Amino acid sequence: MTTDATQRLDELRVTALACTACRLSEERIHVVFGDGNPQADVVFVGEAPGRREDEQGVPFVGPSGKLLDRLLGEIELERADVYIANVVKCRPPNNRDPRPDEIDACKDYLREQLRLVDPKVVVTLGNFSSKLLLKVDTGITRLRGTAYEWWGRHLVPTFHPAAALRGSSQVLEDMRYDFALVRDAIDGNLDNEADEVDTGVSVEPDVDPEQLGLFNR
Ligand code: URA
Ligand code: SF4
């Protein structure tokens, strides 16, 4: 990404910090715009800020963030190597799910972040970011385990770290599998098996089905 794009990302942050486009602006402490390397090869997309994130204005600094850091380390990445953002930038009260109108109000920020950082790989953490970016209704359990071709790059959907923290050890093992896909995608080590696999993924008309080709390890 160019200096120009870095500057535009900064300008977008300034705009977001003053945003009142949805009701989530009412109870937030901080807008959690995003964090990390604007030239990253990988962008992680979570769901919404939690309490710690709201307090600090930085994504993934609470328990989920600690687990994310560990999984990053296992594929030889650190926070400084990646860029991290969420579907909605303000904390929903009591960590409730973000509502469709809130996601709608906020999604242009994310789209612009992805456009400006222009990573090789996008990793969606959990249902909200996976469904939003793949434009499908399929749940994360069925979507994960695969790297999708997505607007000329790879998208790897995986569980949200919070699911691993409250779930069985299998969830963590599945996340490790998906993070290995991320490593392979960064290194250019994925084989295209696009035409062989039926995902059962329903695609809305504004997505070119060609974009949903599959890559397996
Ligand atoms: N969970 C998220 O989805 N995002 C954060 O930033 C923190 C926890
Ligand atoms: Fe604006 Fe997004 Fe915060 Fe809503 S969640 S107020 S759209 S920044």
Side-chain angles (χ1 to χ4, degrees):
M1 116 167 193
T2 61
T3 318
D4 189 40
T6 308
Q7 194 180 331
R8 271 154 58 207
L9 204 55
D10 284 343
E11 288 164 7
L12 188 65
R13 175 194 293 273
V14 171
T15 305
L17 294 189
C19 182
T20 55
C22 83
R23 69 178 77 73
L24 295 182
S25 63
E26 289 163 19
E27 292 182 49
R28 74 178 178 225
I29 302 170
H30 286 106
V31 176
V32 181
F33 175 69
D35 184 46
N37 184 347
Q39 317 208 36
D41 280 343
V42 194
V43 172
F44 287 82
V45 185
E47 177 181 321
R51 183 168 59 85
R52 301 286 174 75
E53 289 78 19
D54 186 37
E55 285 166 1
Q56 295 183 40
V58 181
F60 284 99
V61 289
S64 288
K66 298 281 173 294
L67 178 54
L68 180 60
D69 287 347
R70 202 167 106 205
L71 290 165
L72 285 175
E74 289 176 10
I75 56 166
E76 261 128 66
L77 288 174
E78 41 184 303
R79 281 292 266 261
D81 299 323
V82 306
Y83 188 87
I84 306 185
N86 285 304
V87 169
V88 294
K89 313 305 190 203
C90 303
R91 182 195 183 201
N94 303 313
N95 297 344
R96 67 157 169 77
D97 287 348
R99 296 177 185 155
D101 63 320
E102 294 158 357
I103 293 172
D104 224 52
C106 209
K107 69 184 181 194
D108 284 354
Y109 292 118
L110 178 62
R111 180 185 296 130
E112 205 55 12
Q113 286 171 307
L114 289 166
R115 210 174 58 76
L116 291 169
V117 178
D118 191 19
K120 280 193 203 166
V121 190
V122 177
V123 186
T124 50
L125 301 167
N127 270 312
F128 284 90
S129 53
S130 302
K131 289 180 179 183
L132 179 69
L133 296 190
L134 286 173
K135 296 189 194 290
V136 295
D137 266 332
T138 316
I140 188 62
T141 306
R142 277 182 63 204
L143 280 178
R144 62 148 295 279
T146 300
Y148 296 83
E149 192 180 353
W150 190 79
W151 301 107
R153 66 200 88 218
H154 290 111
L155 187 149
V156 180
T158 191
F159 291 117
H160 193 286
L165 290 175
R166 59 169 186 260
S168 71
S169 60
Q170 185 59 46
V171 176
L172 187 57
E173 283 317 300
D174 288 347
M175 288 187 80
R176 289 202 164 100
Y177 179 93
D178 299 335
F179 273 62
L181 282 175
V182 174
R183 172 41 75 195
D184 285 346
I186 295 168
D187 295 342
N189 288 336
L190 290 170
D191 295 329
N192 186 355
E193 296 182 9
D195 298 326
E196 305 299 327
V197 193
D198 176 12
T199 51
V201 167
S202 65
V203 180
E204 279 181 12
D206 59 335
V207 173
D208 178 357
E210 294 281 298
Q211 300 280 349
L212 285 176
L214 290 182
F215 293 78
N216 290 328
R217 287 180 77 206

